[in-house]
Amino acid sequence: MKNTLLSVYLGILIAYSGSLSANQKTIPLPIDYRLIRNALVEQIYTGANQTAHLWKDKGGCSLLDMSNPRIDGQQNLVRIVNDVHARIGTAMGGQCLTVLDWTGKLETFQRAVLENGGTVLRFPIDKAVAYDPGGQALRIDQLQDLLKRFAEPKLASVKLDLQEMRGDIEKTLAPVTTPENKAAVQALLSSLRFSEVKAGETGLSVKVAFEVPQANARTNKQPAPVFNESEMQQWNVAWQRWNASLFEAIDRAADDRVSSDVRDTLLETLLAAKSAFHKGLTSNDTSGGDPVRMFFNDSWDQVTPVLRTIAKDVPGAESLRFLTFITATDLLYELEAIGSPLGLDISSDGLRRLGRMLLVKQAGAN
């Protein structure tokens, strides 16, 4: 996903930067609990059938497993319910003698808090309750101790790290980052912080803060020439590859119905993008409006909820990459809206300049 044209093209915002006389802005970043669940599975539930093997004694007679996490929000807290299987036994005559075999559920209520200066979002536990399938509270001290020692710390260890997201954003921007503006790119990305987080019923309401430079005076540039036939052939090959990469990620989404809806919307958007970009690359005529700028102005608000849907339904680390992409693009879109302080040029001319940079880099990589 991070290699798609949309991601890279919007990255041009940071590609032409100047001085960093900064002031702070914030953008909303809603995070559905299904995405938090994906982070849980990626970090903790690494066993078969998404099971977290929390503890096992040396002889293998005693164990503690969690599985099937369900997440929602209650009273400004994140609520996680896990199925739990605990067995306590002892080795005797080369075999395990089971003393206790228990199945039930562990319900934790966890706060969403910001740490490390707002770069890390964690979920420490406020309250934990274990109960059997009949809803009766667990009253076995030995099991309560196991849950407290092994289950609760694991659940509290889950995090969303903006440092890791920042690295992915920088990789996304790398194709359009020149040596002259690399320091400015890193300075802007280093300023990213989670500034606020609230737990709702269906997801987290998060705000991301960042320092933006003031707009700089720019020298007039000569318009970039339109693409010739050879360049258009290379562009079309790259476009097909970007499309394939995008839909490969979508195909990994868990919910077929949602994926079908997402595919239809994205296909429509990509067809519009292909037409707008072709016009922008092959013609200097903007008498009816710049086709590239018109496409982005008309399409981003439509594409954003689709991408959020993908992020919720794509499994594992891929969902976090979608979140990173959305964060990066929302950031860039916000900066463009306040006056392109880093020299963003969402236009046909800007696309031609960027396109040539990408084709040169692509040729060098082959």
Side-chain angles (χ1 to χ4, degrees), residues 94-306:
Q95 295 184 332
C96 290
L97 176 63
T98 299
V99 177
L100 175 67
D101 195 290
W102 183 86
T103 59
K105 301 183 186 302
L106 175 64
E107 183 180 41
T108 57
F109 295 87
Q110 303 178 217
R111 288 176 291 122
V113 300
L114 302 179
E115 297 180 353
N116 294 349
T119 62
V120 175
L121 175 56
R122 289 192 182 274
F123 304 91
I125 293 176
D126 267 14
K127 179 183 177 182
V129 180
Y131 49 92
D132 63 26
Q136 298 298 312
L138 176 64
R139 300 184 184 279
I140 304 172
D141 290 342
Q142 192 172 7
L143 289 184
Q144 290 277 29
D145 181 62
L146 285 177
L147 291 171
K148 192 159 192 67
R149 289 170 56 199
F150 297 105
E152 294 182 26
K154 273 290 186 182
L155 291 170
S157 71
V158 174
K159 66 178 182 178
L160 292 179
D161 193 336
L162 198 52
Q163 288 281 72
E164 297 173 1
M165 295 173 65
R166 184 183 295 125
D168 283 342
I169 294 172
E170 187 169 359
K171 290 177 183 178
T172 298
L173 299 173
V176 291
T177 300
T178 64
E180 292 78 14
N181 59 47
K182 184 175 181 179
V185 171
Q186 293 175 338
L188 186 145
L189 294 178
S190 294
S191 74
L192 291 175
R193 297 289 187 275
F194 294 123
S195 63
E196 182 180 316
V197 58
K198 295 180 180 178
E201 292 184 2
T202 61
L204 299 175
S205 175
V206 180
K207 290 184 178 180
V208 177
F210 56 94
E211 301 293 331
V212 299
Q214 296 177 354
N216 298 304
R218 299 183 185 85
T219 58
N220 292 326
K221 297 179 181 179
Q222 293 296 319
V226 298
F227 272 30
N228 59 37
E229 183 177 351
S230 174
E231 289 173 321
M232 282 306 301
Q233 289 177 348
Q234 296 176 66
W235 173 268
N236 289 331
V237 171
W239 178 262
Q240 293 301 322
R241 184 163 54 249
W242 287 321
N243 276 5
S245 175
L246 172 62
F247 283 104
E248 180 183 353
I250 295 171
D251 285 340
R252 290 195 290 271
D255 188 325
D256 291 336
R257 181 188 60 80
V258 172
S259 297
S260 177
D261 293 342
V262 165
R263 179 183 292 275
D264 290 344
T265 302
L266 279 182
L267 181 59
E268 179 182 341
T269 303
L270 287 171
L271 288 173
K274 183 177 182 180
S275 175
F277 291 176
H278 185 273
K279 292 178 182 177
L281 292 171
T282 59
S283 173
N284 279 316
D285 183 11
T286 58
S287 57
D290 188 292
V292 173
R293 176 168 288 275
M294 291 171 64
F295 166 75
F296 279 103
N297 287 344
D298 293 342
S299 299
W300 180 242
D301 288 340
Q302 178 185 7
V303 171
T304 302
V306 173

Side-chain angles (χ1 to χ4, degrees), residues 303-364:
V303 171
T304 302
V306 173
L307 294 177
R308 295 194 190 282
T309 298
I310 297 172
K312 291 184 291 186
D313 291 291
V314 171
E318 190 71 23
S319 65
L320 299 181
R321 294 191 185 101
F322 272 84
L323 178 65
T324 298
F325 168 72
I326 296 168
T327 304
T329 313
D330 277 346
L331 165 67
L332 303 177
Y333 199 72
E334 173 71 14
L335 286 173
E336 195 275 336
I338 62 175
S340 304
L342 297 182
L344 175 63
D345 186 10
I346 296 183
S347 68
S348 296
D349 186 60
L351 178 61
R352 291 192 292 271
R353 296 179 190 279
L354 174 61
R356 286 193 171 93
M357 290 173 60
L358 296 178
L359 293 180
V360 168
K361 289 180 179 289
Q362 176 179 291

